Amino acid sequence: ESTVDSARQVDGKWTFRLPDGAVWSQTDNEIIRAPRHGSKVVIRKGAMGSYFLSVDGQKSVRAKRQN
């Protein structure tokens, strides 16, 4: 669990920067509401090395860590 430090959307997919410097990018095409600074983020491990990211209790999206 963490919070959103900043988020931006490119081609309909979100990229999230967390306070610890981690950068996560959405890999699927699910639509979610725009996250804000301080929004709660929950990241959980999925099958075969994948990850799911949920912002403020919304539906989870597939994501991968960029750094």
Side-chain angles (χ1 to χ4, degrees):
E1 287 187 21
S2 189
T3 57
V4 173
D5 193 35
S6 64
R8 63 186 175 100
Q9 190 176 33
V10 177
D11 296 330
K13 296 183 180 183
W14 287 96
T15 298
F16 309 90
R17 180 174 299 276
L18 307 183
D20 65 358
V23 177
W24 288 83
S25 294
Q26 179 181 0
T27 59
D28 62 17
N29 293 318
E30 295 295 328
I31 297 172
I32 59 172
R33 288 187 319 269
R36 297 184 314 266
H37 176 76
S39 292
K40 180 181 175 183
V41 174
V42 176
I43 301 168
R44 62 183 172 86
K45 194 167 187 147
M48 298 174 55
S50 64
Y51 290 90
F52 292 95
L53 186 147
S54 176
V55 179
D56 285 337
Q58 297 183 65
K59 176 174 51 174
S60 294
V61 296
R62 289 189 183 272
K64 68 177 181 177
R65 188 165 176 171
Q66 298 298 313
N67 62 349

